[in-house]
């Protein structure tokens, strides 16, 4: 490594380690690290392979470690001390891995498109690029002050055209692909077209491919493409002026950002066919080293369920349902469609059938009136509200009857908002005797119930006498016999198999798998996002831009606010900012297909903020590549599959648990498509995931409930006062709006960055939330002061270490700390690593004599991952010219790790009667002999007969008499 000689100036207050000295040391070494590229990780090839080929090749030959933090969003408010928790943790881990012989890639970019910057721009009149770039620069300054060891050559922002060129390129790869269910992988759409042309694959509808118009071909392919446009129910948020993905809507039916009401609306939008990968997204979770809670969230969100598809005839049409309980078909006494179901409009009769129950009509004169009114009412509710387990079920009869395919009975068809178009087929067969929601609906609308599963809980078989539905997968089937089929007496498993075979044999159903996962809504009616590389011809047919036209840059506009509406205006429709820039929207282009220049209209939606973070790990690998997404050899080196990582991916990914079904699921989908198409070797983006906890802070509220400044609150006798008035204290998030934010700059000014780093790592286990306490920071500051005094004379500034061999007690304390702290750092247990280093440093301080050089140097290398600035300074004061960053982490000598002796407790009748100092390697037999012959034990026995001796060498002997 290159030499890092640099002068050490005289510090204020003599040569004591103070905040002023820490600031000088930290700024000086940060400059040196930047100038000398200390944290630059060489690639195996390409422009980042390193200038010293021999040295770089040696580093590349080491085991690699790719360590990542979740993308930060550059906020105008800057960082508070809660933000860097994960960044410091990954930095400590990266430094330890570098010192234990790894080639470490650790860097940080910025996720800079999206709603916050746009909203700030609308409020202030500042262009979102201007404010975002200013925020990035401010954040870089704050992060640099923490001494984070990032390879800055690899950093970027998603708003850089050189970056989003490849985001657009990936979109086109997905757009130009389809999922082959036989091959279980994505394939180029051109291969599907070739199949249609040759006749090896039948064109939907039965016509020859050559007979179709361009528009008809586009419509056919749209049903296969992995990125496709559709007119479908979407989550429309008038208050934000945009549509949202399901994952961006809260459990109470409001927008995750802004807390505005969200409504169902039918709009043409871009979607990603993530559902094609549902099985693979589930299956591949097993081999990932992720928290089980996150895996469970993804499994539940994907929601795989096995059952059957069943067709219920209705005139010339059929209503198709998916059910997980096809064995209960004989109990289906009515049907329910989602209000948005496309069949609803096809079969509504002009008048109510004779004998229609009044309660079925909703008080309307005709079925059309009833359906129209109910659909409008349902559109004002979110999916979550519609699925709530409310006893008051709403709905309306459509005026039509379908036919139960097993019994031949006519069953009325309702629409009701508790059925969602986004799940299954948007239609259910209702078996009210054996489903809770159906039971409540049937009671409300006076619908018949039929018991087809024999109750085993003491109730009778007449549902009219029941208080609730009988739901069981253990009981026997009854009342379930019809033409060519009888399920009576069968258990549920056998009955499911029998009825599924019967349905398939008559081509009115089949066994199938359903998923809760919906396709990913990929359009936003915003300005500040990646433009779609799509144009439309005069017939409205979509065409992808050729790669040579990428990036399609986001144009400058005068008004970047989407048209927003009253939050409760469910009838409003989106209007995008880009649609107002006519000279950008309407263009004449030659798309290179031999058609010459033609007139086109650009797509005026933009991509969601998740697009840029779906693949950013790949850009870190090869950030300057203008010819390819990533060099295959570089991607294989850093992310390819290997022993213990069968799907490849980043070695460690640290971030919050809140992205379980947003960013993490989306990124996995993009990785799988890129893998299928041969662009990457890694099937999964992130092999190991670690969720850090949150740094919380006390919020103080006055009698109105408003937050007051936490720094101005006084504590007296366990109570809290602000300007003399009592306030209530509660533990919550840290933030500017809660008036309890503490910035890292404040702590660095008062104590130094190394102290801040140590305190955040020492507060508790990394994955547990913990309260911030500024008063406790001083404990880590004192640790560094004691460390400094152990090596530097505070009066003269001279190094106090001496030559010579340390004593055995010192070696034992040193090597125990090395062994424990090293394994703790490797396991992300930084709080216990700091505790062991503190214990060692205190032991050396109490010895009251100068440290021997081997001890001092090991101590400095031991603390270097946690407090790199002071470690670098002390390393150079100890006479070294190379950086401590690339030194070997100290290795414990096993002979000193094991205690020389262990105290063994001897109990007689459960009471301690002796303590023996024994070798840690003593055998059970030897320890038993020592214990029973000890004078104190013999006296305690008093001649009683020993019935049993329980030995747990080397620490316990229990004698039973």
């Amino acid at each position: 490594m290159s030499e890092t000689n640099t002068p050490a100036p005289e510090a204020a207050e003599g040569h004591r380690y103070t905040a002023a000295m820490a600031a000088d040391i930290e700024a000086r070494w940060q400059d040196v690290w930047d100038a000398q590229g200390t944290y630059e990780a060489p690639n195996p090839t390409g422009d980042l392979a390193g200038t010293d080929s021999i040295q770089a090749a040696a580093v590349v030959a080491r085991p690699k470690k790719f360590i990542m933090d979740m993308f930060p969003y550059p906020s105008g408010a800057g960082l508070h001390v809660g933000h860097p928790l994960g960044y410091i943790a990954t930095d400590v881990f990266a430094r330890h891995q570098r010192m234990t012989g790894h080639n470490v890639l650790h860097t940080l970019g910025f996720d800079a498109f999206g709603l916050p910057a746009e909203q700030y721009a609308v409020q202030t009149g500042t262009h979102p690029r201007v404010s975002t770039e200013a925020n990035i620069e401010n954040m870089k300054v704050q992060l640099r002050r923490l001494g984070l060891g990032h390879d800055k050559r690899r950093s970027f922002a998603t708003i850089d055209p050189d970056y989003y060129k490849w985001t657009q390129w990936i979109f086109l790869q997905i757009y130009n692909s389809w999922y082959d269910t036989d091959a279980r992988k994505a394939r180029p759409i051109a291969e599907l077209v070739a199949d249609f042309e040759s006749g090896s694959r039948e064109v939907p509808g039965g016509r020859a491919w050559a007979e179709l118009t361009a528009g008809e071909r586009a419509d056919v392919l749209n049903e296969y493409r992995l990125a496709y446009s559709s007119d479908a129910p979407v989550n429309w948020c008038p208050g934000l002026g945009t549509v949202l993905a399901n994952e961006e809507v809260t459990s109470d039916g409001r927008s995750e950002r802004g807390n505005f009401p969200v409504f169902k609306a039918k709009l043409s939008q871009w979607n990603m066919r993530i559902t094609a990968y549902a099985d693979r997204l589930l299956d591949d979770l097993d081999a990932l080293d992720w928290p089980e809670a996150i895996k469970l969230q993804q499994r539940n969100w994907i929601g795989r369920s096995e059952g059957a598809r069943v067709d219920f005839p209705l005139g010339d049409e059929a209503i198709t349902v998916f059910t997980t309980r096809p064995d209960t078909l004989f109990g289906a006494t009515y049907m329910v469609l989602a209000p948005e179901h496309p069949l609803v409009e096809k079969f509504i009769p002009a008048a109510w059938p004779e004998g229609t129950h009044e309660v079925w009509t909703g008080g309307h004169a005709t079925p059309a009136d009833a359906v129209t009114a109910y659909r409008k009412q349902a559109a004002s509710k979110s999916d979550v509200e519609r699925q709530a387990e409310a006893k008051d079920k709403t709905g309306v009869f459509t005026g039509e009857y379908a036919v139960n395919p097993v019994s031949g009975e006519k069953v009325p068809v309702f629409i009701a908002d508790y059925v969602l178009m986004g799940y299954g087929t948007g239609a259910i067969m209702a078996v009210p005797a054996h489903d809770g929601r159906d039971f409540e609906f049937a009671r409300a609308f006076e619908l018949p119930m039929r018991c087809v599963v024999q109750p085993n809980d003491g109730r009778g078989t007449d549902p009219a006498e029941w208080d609730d539905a009988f739901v069981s997968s253990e009981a026997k089937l009854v009342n379930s016999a019809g033409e060519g089929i009888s399920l009576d007496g069968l258990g549920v498993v056998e009955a499911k198999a029998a009825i599924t075979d019967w349905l398939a044999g008559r081509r009115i159903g089949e066994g199938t798998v359903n998923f809760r996962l919906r396709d990913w809504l990929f359009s936003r009616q915003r300005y500040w996002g990646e433009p779609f590389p799509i144009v439309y011809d005069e017939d409205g047919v979509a065409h992808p831009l050729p790669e040579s036209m990428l990036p399609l840059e986001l144009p400058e506009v005068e008004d970047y606010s989407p048209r927003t509406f009253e939050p409760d205006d469910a009838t409003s429709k989106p209007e995008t900012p880009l649609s107002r820039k006519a000279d950008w929207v309407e263009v004449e282009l030659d798309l290179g297909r031999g058609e010459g220049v033609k007139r086109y209209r650009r797509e005026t939606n933009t991509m969601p903020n998740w697009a840029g973070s779906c693949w950013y790990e790949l850009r870190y690998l090869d950030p300057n590549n203008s010819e390819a997404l990533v060099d295959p050899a570089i991607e294989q080196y850093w992310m390819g599959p290997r022993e213990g990582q069968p799907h490849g991916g980043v070695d460690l990914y640290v971030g919050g648990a809140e992205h379980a079904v947003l960013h993490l699921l989306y990124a996995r989908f993009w990785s799988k498509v890129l893998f299928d198409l041969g662009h990457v070797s890694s099937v999964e983006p992130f092999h190991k995931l670690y969720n850090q906890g949150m740094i919380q802070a006390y919020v103080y509220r006055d009698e109105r409930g408003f937050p007051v400044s936490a720094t101005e609150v006084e504590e007296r006798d366990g109570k809290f006062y602000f300007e003399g008035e009592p306030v209530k204290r509660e533990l919550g998030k840290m933030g500017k709006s809660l008036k309890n934010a503490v910035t890292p700059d404040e702590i660095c000014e008062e104590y130094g960055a190394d102290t801040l780093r140590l305190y955040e790592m020492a507060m508790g286990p990394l994955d547990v939330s913990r309260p911030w306490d500024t008063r406790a920071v001083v404990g880590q500051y004192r640790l560094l002061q004691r460390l400094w005094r152990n090596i530097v004379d505070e009066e003269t500034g001279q190094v106090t270490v001496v030559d010579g061999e340390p004593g055995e007690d010192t070696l034992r304390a040193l090597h125990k700390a090395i062994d424990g702290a090293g394994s703790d750092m490797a396991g992300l247990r930084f709080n216990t690593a700091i505790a062991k280093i503190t214990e060692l440093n205190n032991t050396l301080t109490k010895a009251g004599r100068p440290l021997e050089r081997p001890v001092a140097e090991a101590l400095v290398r031991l603390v270097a991952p946690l407090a790199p600035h002071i470690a670098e300074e002390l390393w150079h004061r100890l006479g070294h010219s190379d950086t401590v960053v690339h030194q070997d982490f100290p290795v414990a000598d096993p002979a000193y790790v094991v205690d020389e002796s262990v105290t063994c407790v001897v109990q007689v009748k459960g009471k301690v009667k002796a303590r023996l100092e024994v070798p840690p390697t003593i055998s059970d037999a030897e320890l038993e002999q020592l214990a029973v012959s000890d004078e104190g034990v013999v006296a305690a026995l008093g001649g009683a007969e020993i019935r049993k001796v329980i030995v747990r060498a080397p620490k316990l002997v229990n004698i039973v008499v």
Side-chain angles (χ1 to χ4, degrees), residues 347-353 356 360 366-368 370-371 396-401 412-415:
F347 58 66
I348 299 175
W352 295 114
T356 297
W360 294 7
T366 67
V371 168
V396 69
F397 181 40
T398 64
E400 276 291 359
Y401 290 82
V413 180
F414 284 75
I415 61 170

PDB file of all heavy atoms in Angstrom, residues 347-353 356 360 366-368 370-371 396-401 412-415:
ATOM      1  N   PHE A 347     -74.351  -8.723 -18.766  1.00  0.00           N
ATOM      2  CA  PHE A 347     -75.565  -9.535 -18.605  1.00  0.00           C
ATOM      3  C   PHE A 347     -76.633  -8.918 -17.712  1.00  0.00           C
ATOM      4  O   PHE A 347     -77.556  -9.597 -17.286  1.00  0.00           O
ATOM      5  CB  PHE A 347     -75.206 -10.933 -18.094  1.00  0.00           C
ATOM      6  CG  PHE A 347     -74.454 -10.960 -16.786  1.00  0.00           C
ATOM      7  CD1 PHE A 347     -75.031 -10.536 -15.605  1.00  0.00           C
ATOM      8  CD2 PHE A 347     -73.161 -11.440 -16.735  1.00  0.00           C
ATOM      9  CE1 PHE A 347     -74.362 -10.586 -14.404  1.00  0.00           C
ATOM     10  CE2 PHE A 347     -72.479 -11.502 -15.527  1.00  0.00           C
ATOM     11  CZ  PHE A 347     -73.076 -11.071 -14.363  1.00  0.00           C
ATOM     12  N   ILE A 348     -76.538  -7.640 -17.402  1.00  0.00           N
ATOM     13  CA  ILE A 348     -77.554  -7.035 -16.539  1.00  0.00           C
ATOM     14  C   ILE A 348     -78.877  -6.942 -17.299  1.00  0.00           C
ATOM     15  O   ILE A 348     -78.949  -6.300 -18.357  1.00  0.00           O
ATOM     16  CB  ILE A 348     -77.122  -5.638 -16.063  1.00  0.00           C
ATOM     17  CG1 ILE A 348     -75.826  -5.742 -15.238  1.00  0.00           C
ATOM     18  CG2 ILE A 348     -78.209  -4.991 -15.228  1.00  0.00           C
ATOM     19  CD1 ILE A 348     -75.264  -4.403 -14.829  1.00  0.00           C
ATOM     20  N   PRO A 349     -79.947  -7.561 -16.794  1.00  0.00           N
ATOM     21  CA  PRO A 349     -81.246  -7.491 -17.487  1.00  0.00           C
ATOM     22  C   PRO A 349     -81.898  -6.124 -17.314  1.00  0.00           C
ATOM     23  O   PRO A 349     -81.504  -5.334 -16.453  1.00  0.00           O
ATOM     24  CB  PRO A 349     -82.058  -8.586 -16.800  1.00  0.00           C
ATOM     25  CG  PRO A 349     -81.483  -8.672 -15.420  1.00  0.00           C
ATOM     26  CD  PRO A 349     -80.020  -8.382 -15.565  1.00  0.00           C
ATOM     27  N   ALA A 350     -82.913  -5.883 -18.124  1.00  0.00           N
ATOM     28  CA  ALA A 350     -83.604  -4.588 -18.078  1.00  0.00           C
ATOM     29  C   ALA A 350     -84.447  -4.434 -16.826  1.00  0.00           C
ATOM     30  O   ALA A 350     -84.668  -3.320 -16.335  1.00  0.00           O
ATOM     31  CB  ALA A 350     -84.470  -4.419 -19.325  1.00  0.00           C
ATOM     32  N   ALA A 351     -84.962  -5.549 -16.281  1.00  0.00           N
ATOM     33  CA  ALA A 351     -85.859  -5.462 -15.120  1.00  0.00           C
ATOM     34  C   ALA A 351     -85.512  -6.568 -14.133  1.00  0.00           C
ATOM     35  O   ALA A 351     -84.852  -7.560 -14.472  1.00  0.00           O
ATOM     36  CB  ALA A 351     -87.304  -5.600 -15.578  1.00  0.00           C
ATOM     37  N   TRP A 352     -85.989  -6.389 -12.930  1.00  0.00           N
ATOM     38  CA  TRP A 352     -85.768  -7.405 -11.908  1.00  0.00           C
ATOM     39  C   TRP A 352     -86.565  -8.669 -12.257  1.00  0.00           C
ATOM     40  O   TRP A 352     -87.721  -8.575 -12.681  1.00  0.00           O
ATOM     41  CB  TRP A 352     -86.224  -6.920 -10.523  1.00  0.00           C
ATOM     42  CG  TRP A 352     -85.431  -5.765  -9.980  1.00  0.00           C
ATOM     43  CD1 TRP A 352     -85.879  -4.505  -9.747  1.00  0.00           C
ATOM     44  CD2 TRP A 352     -84.060  -5.790  -9.589  1.00  0.00           C
ATOM     45  NE1 TRP A 352     -84.885  -3.720  -9.240  1.00  0.00           N
ATOM     46  CE2 TRP A 352     -83.742  -4.486  -9.129  1.00  0.00           C
ATOM     47  CE3 TRP A 352     -83.063  -6.758  -9.590  1.00  0.00           C
ATOM     48  CZ2 TRP A 352     -82.477  -4.140  -8.663  1.00  0.00           C
ATOM     49  CZ3 TRP A 352     -81.793  -6.427  -9.127  1.00  0.00           C
ATOM     50  CH2 TRP A 352     -81.511  -5.137  -8.674  1.00  0.00           C
ATOM     51  N   PRO A 353     -85.999  -9.854 -12.088  1.00  0.00           N
ATOM     52  CA  PRO A 353     -86.763 -11.086 -12.300  1.00  0.00           C
ATOM     53  C   PRO A 353     -87.945 -11.150 -11.333  1.00  0.00           C
ATOM     54  O   PRO A 353     -87.906 -10.584 -10.234  1.00  0.00           O
ATOM     55  CB  PRO A 353     -85.750 -12.194 -12.012  1.00  0.00           C
ATOM     56  CG  PRO A 353     -84.416 -11.552 -12.133  1.00  0.00           C
ATOM     57  CD  PRO A 353     -84.593 -10.130 -11.713  1.00  0.00           C
ATOM     58  N   THR A 356     -88.038 -11.292  -7.118  1.00  0.00           N
ATOM     59  CA  THR A 356     -86.776 -10.832  -6.529  1.00  0.00           C
ATOM     60  C   THR A 356     -87.013 -10.272  -5.131  1.00  0.00           C
ATOM     61  O   THR A 356     -87.904  -9.439  -4.929  1.00  0.00           O
ATOM     62  CB  THR A 356     -86.129  -9.740  -7.409  1.00  0.00           C
ATOM     63  OG1 THR A 356     -85.814 -10.302  -8.676  1.00  0.00           O
ATOM     64  CG2 THR A 356     -84.858  -9.203  -6.764  1.00  0.00           C
ATOM     65  N   TRP A 360     -82.625  -7.566  -1.948  1.00  0.00           N
ATOM     66  CA  TRP A 360     -81.572  -7.755  -2.947  1.00  0.00           C
ATOM     67  C   TRP A 360     -81.399  -6.538  -3.849  1.00  0.00           C
ATOM     68  O   TRP A 360     -80.356  -6.370  -4.473  1.00  0.00           O
ATOM     69  CB  TRP A 360     -81.886  -8.959  -3.842  1.00  0.00           C
ATOM     70  CG  TRP A 360     -81.875 -10.294  -3.163  1.00  0.00           C
ATOM     71  CD1 TRP A 360     -81.754 -10.550  -1.833  1.00  0.00           C
ATOM     72  CD2 TRP A 360     -82.029 -11.566  -3.801  1.00  0.00           C
ATOM     73  NE1 TRP A 360     -81.816 -11.897  -1.585  1.00  0.00           N
ATOM     74  CE2 TRP A 360     -81.971 -12.551  -2.780  1.00  0.00           C
ATOM     75  CE3 TRP A 360     -82.203 -11.985  -5.115  1.00  0.00           C
ATOM     76  CZ2 TRP A 360     -82.089 -13.913  -3.049  1.00  0.00           C
ATOM     77  CZ3 TRP A 360     -82.314 -13.332  -5.389  1.00  0.00           C
ATOM     78  CH2 TRP A 360     -82.254 -14.297  -4.366  1.00  0.00           C
ATOM     79  N   THR A 366     -84.313  -0.692 -11.085  1.00  0.00           N
ATOM     80  CA  THR A 366     -83.827  -1.657 -12.081  1.00  0.00           C
ATOM     81  C   THR A 366     -82.452  -2.179 -11.676  1.00  0.00           C
ATOM     82  O   THR A 366     -81.728  -1.529 -10.895  1.00  0.00           O
ATOM     83  CB  THR A 366     -83.692  -1.009 -13.469  1.00  0.00           C
ATOM     84  OG1 THR A 366     -82.631  -0.031 -13.425  1.00  0.00           O
ATOM     85  CG2 THR A 366     -84.993  -0.358 -13.913  1.00  0.00           C
ATOM     86  N   PRO A 367     -82.066  -3.327 -12.203  1.00  0.00           N
ATOM     87  CA  PRO A 367     -80.710  -3.835 -11.931  1.00  0.00           C
ATOM     88  C   PRO A 367     -79.631  -2.848 -12.367  1.00  0.00           C
ATOM     89  O   PRO A 367     -78.623  -2.691 -11.672  1.00  0.00           O
ATOM     90  CB  PRO A 367     -80.650  -5.125 -12.745  1.00  0.00           C
ATOM     91  CG  PRO A 367     -82.071  -5.572 -12.863  1.00  0.00           C
ATOM     92  CD  PRO A 367     -82.875  -4.309 -12.971  1.00  0.00           C
ATOM     93  N   ALA A 368     -79.828  -2.183 -13.504  1.00  0.00           N
ATOM     94  CA  ALA A 368     -78.816  -1.239 -13.990  1.00  0.00           C
ATOM     95  C   ALA A 368     -78.611  -0.100 -12.995  1.00  0.00           C
ATOM     96  O   ALA A 368     -77.477   0.310 -12.709  1.00  0.00           O
ATOM     97  CB  ALA A 368     -79.220  -0.685 -15.355  1.00  0.00           C
ATOM     98  N   ALA A 370     -79.234  -0.182  -9.767  1.00  0.00           N
ATOM     99  CA  ALA A 370     -78.634  -0.720  -8.550  1.00  0.00           C
ATOM    100  C   ALA A 370     -77.136  -0.936  -8.720  1.00  0.00           C
ATOM    101  O   ALA A 370     -76.328  -0.569  -7.854  1.00  0.00           O
ATOM    102  CB  ALA A 370     -79.315  -2.041  -8.179  1.00  0.00           C
ATOM    103  N   VAL A 371     -76.746  -1.524  -9.855  1.00  0.00           N
ATOM    104  CA  VAL A 371     -75.329  -1.817 -10.100  1.00  0.00           C
ATOM    105  C   VAL A 371     -74.530  -0.522 -10.248  1.00  0.00           C
ATOM    106  O   VAL A 371     -73.438  -0.387  -9.688  1.00  0.00           O
ATOM    107  CB  VAL A 371     -75.182  -2.711 -11.350  1.00  0.00           C
ATOM    108  CG1 VAL A 371     -73.719  -2.771 -11.796  1.00  0.00           C
ATOM    109  CG2 VAL A 371     -75.697  -4.109 -11.053  1.00  0.00           C
ATOM    110  N   VAL A 396     -75.421  -5.914  -3.985  1.00  0.00           N
ATOM    111  CA  VAL A 396     -76.669  -5.779  -4.718  1.00  0.00           C
ATOM    112  C   VAL A 396     -76.765  -6.911  -5.741  1.00  0.00           C
ATOM    113  O   VAL A 396     -75.757  -7.363  -6.296  1.00  0.00           O
ATOM    114  CB  VAL A 396     -76.757  -4.390  -5.396  1.00  0.00           C
ATOM    115  CG1 VAL A 396     -75.757  -4.269  -6.531  1.00  0.00           C
ATOM    116  CG2 VAL A 396     -78.167  -4.105  -5.882  1.00  0.00           C
ATOM    117  N   PHE A 397     -77.973  -7.386  -5.981  1.00  0.00           N
ATOM    118  CA  PHE A 397     -78.253  -8.436  -6.951  1.00  0.00           C
ATOM    119  C   PHE A 397     -78.111  -7.858  -8.364  1.00  0.00           C
ATOM    120  O   PHE A 397     -78.552  -6.747  -8.643  1.00  0.00           O
ATOM    121  CB  PHE A 397     -79.675  -8.946  -6.722  1.00  0.00           C
ATOM    122  CG  PHE A 397     -80.130 -10.053  -7.627  1.00  0.00           C
ATOM    123  CD1 PHE A 397     -79.278 -11.106  -7.986  1.00  0.00           C
ATOM    124  CD2 PHE A 397     -81.438 -10.057  -8.113  1.00  0.00           C
ATOM    125  CE1 PHE A 397     -79.729 -12.130  -8.810  1.00  0.00           C
ATOM    126  CE2 PHE A 397     -81.896 -11.079  -8.928  1.00  0.00           C
ATOM    127  CZ  PHE A 397     -81.037 -12.122  -9.293  1.00  0.00           C
ATOM    128  N   THR A 398     -77.487  -8.619  -9.268  1.00  0.00           N
ATOM    129  CA  THR A 398     -77.329  -8.147 -10.653  1.00  0.00           C
ATOM    130  C   THR A 398     -78.558  -8.396 -11.502  1.00  0.00           C
ATOM    131  O   THR A 398     -78.652  -7.898 -12.620  1.00  0.00           O
ATOM    132  CB  THR A 398     -76.133  -8.856 -11.321  1.00  0.00           C
ATOM    133  OG1 THR A 398     -76.417 -10.263 -11.395  1.00  0.00           O
ATOM    134  CG2 THR A 398     -74.841  -8.614 -10.554  1.00  0.00           C
ATOM    135  N   GLY A 399     -79.490  -9.218 -10.990  1.00  0.00           N
ATOM    136  CA  GLY A 399     -80.668  -9.565 -11.774  1.00  0.00           C
ATOM    137  C   GLY A 399     -80.490 -10.834 -12.580  1.00  0.00           C
ATOM    138  O   GLY A 399     -81.413 -11.234 -13.308  1.00  0.00           O
ATOM    139  N   GLU A 400     -79.339 -11.490 -12.480  1.00  0.00           N
ATOM    140  CA  GLU A 400     -79.089 -12.700 -13.262  1.00  0.00           C
ATOM    141  C   GLU A 400     -78.738 -13.879 -12.349  1.00  0.00           C
ATOM    142  O   GLU A 400     -78.297 -13.701 -11.213  1.00  0.00           O
ATOM    143  CB  GLU A 400     -77.941 -12.476 -14.261  1.00  0.00           C
ATOM    144  CG  GLU A 400     -78.370 -11.830 -15.559  1.00  0.00           C
ATOM    145  CD  GLU A 400     -79.230 -12.739 -16.427  1.00  0.00           C
ATOM    146  OE1 GLU A 400     -79.494 -13.906 -16.039  1.00  0.00           O
ATOM    147  OE2 GLU A 400     -79.653 -12.288 -17.504  1.00  0.00           O
ATOM    148  N   TYR A 401     -78.951 -15.078 -12.903  1.00  0.00           N
ATOM    149  CA  TYR A 401     -78.628 -16.310 -12.204  1.00  0.00           C
ATOM    150  C   TYR A 401     -77.610 -17.110 -13.017  1.00  0.00           C
ATOM    151  O   TYR A 401     -77.719 -17.205 -14.248  1.00  0.00           O
ATOM    152  CB  TYR A 401     -79.879 -17.177 -12.011  1.00  0.00           C
ATOM    153  CG  TYR A 401     -80.871 -16.623 -11.019  1.00  0.00           C
ATOM    154  CD1 TYR A 401     -81.780 -15.629 -11.404  1.00  0.00           C
ATOM    155  CD2 TYR A 401     -80.915 -17.098  -9.718  1.00  0.00           C
ATOM    156  CE1 TYR A 401     -82.703 -15.125 -10.504  1.00  0.00           C
ATOM    157  CE2 TYR A 401     -81.844 -16.602  -8.807  1.00  0.00           C
ATOM    158  CZ  TYR A 401     -82.727 -15.608  -9.195  1.00  0.00           C
ATOM    159  OH  TYR A 401     -83.643 -15.116  -8.295  1.00  0.00           O
ATOM    160  N   PRO A 412     -78.232 -17.051  -7.589  1.00  0.00           N
ATOM    161  CA  PRO A 412     -78.237 -15.626  -7.903  1.00  0.00           C
ATOM    162  C   PRO A 412     -76.822 -15.054  -7.905  1.00  0.00           C
ATOM    163  O   PRO A 412     -75.955 -15.476  -7.132  1.00  0.00           O
ATOM    164  CB  PRO A 412     -79.081 -15.005  -6.782  1.00  0.00           C
ATOM    165  CG  PRO A 412     -78.980 -15.974  -5.651  1.00  0.00           C
ATOM    166  CD  PRO A 412     -78.855 -17.336  -6.280  1.00  0.00           C
ATOM    167  N   VAL A 413     -76.583 -14.081  -8.772  1.00  0.00           N
ATOM    168  CA  VAL A 413     -75.270 -13.449  -8.889  1.00  0.00           C
ATOM    169  C   VAL A 413     -75.352 -12.028  -8.338  1.00  0.00           C
ATOM    170  O   VAL A 413     -76.144 -11.209  -8.827  1.00  0.00           O
ATOM    171  CB  VAL A 413     -74.802 -13.416 -10.357  1.00  0.00           C
ATOM    172  CG1 VAL A 413     -73.424 -12.757 -10.460  1.00  0.00           C
ATOM    173  CG2 VAL A 413     -74.777 -14.822 -10.947  1.00  0.00           C
ATOM    174  N   PHE A 414     -74.544 -11.758  -7.313  1.00  0.00           N
ATOM    175  CA  PHE A 414     -74.482 -10.439  -6.684  1.00  0.00           C
ATOM    176  C   PHE A 414     -73.165  -9.750  -7.052  1.00  0.00           C
ATOM    177  O   PHE A 414     -72.213 -10.391  -7.508  1.00  0.00           O
ATOM    178  CB  PHE A 414     -74.546 -10.574  -5.163  1.00  0.00           C
ATOM    179  CG  PHE A 414     -75.909 -10.872  -4.614  1.00  0.00           C
ATOM    180  CD1 PHE A 414     -76.471 -12.146  -4.739  1.00  0.00           C
ATOM    181  CD2 PHE A 414     -76.643  -9.888  -3.977  1.00  0.00           C
ATOM    182  CE1 PHE A 414     -77.719 -12.421  -4.238  1.00  0.00           C
ATOM    183  CE2 PHE A 414     -77.914 -10.156  -3.464  1.00  0.00           C
ATOM    184  CZ  PHE A 414     -78.450 -11.418  -3.593  1.00  0.00           C
ATOM    185  N   ILE A 415     -73.120  -8.452  -6.824  1.00  0.00           N
ATOM    186  CA  ILE A 415     -71.825  -7.775  -6.729  1.00  0.00           C
ATOM    187  C   ILE A 415     -71.711  -7.273  -5.294  1.00  0.00           C
ATOM    188  O   ILE A 415     -72.699  -6.866  -4.672  1.00  0.00           O
ATOM    189  CB  ILE A 415     -71.659  -6.617  -7.735  1.00  0.00           C
ATOM    190  CG1 ILE A 415     -72.715  -5.522  -7.527  1.00  0.00           C
ATOM    191  CG2 ILE A 415     -71.667  -7.133  -9.164  1.00  0.00           C
ATOM    192  CD1 ILE A 415     -72.427  -4.264  -8.353  1.00  0.00           C
TER     193      ILE A 415
END
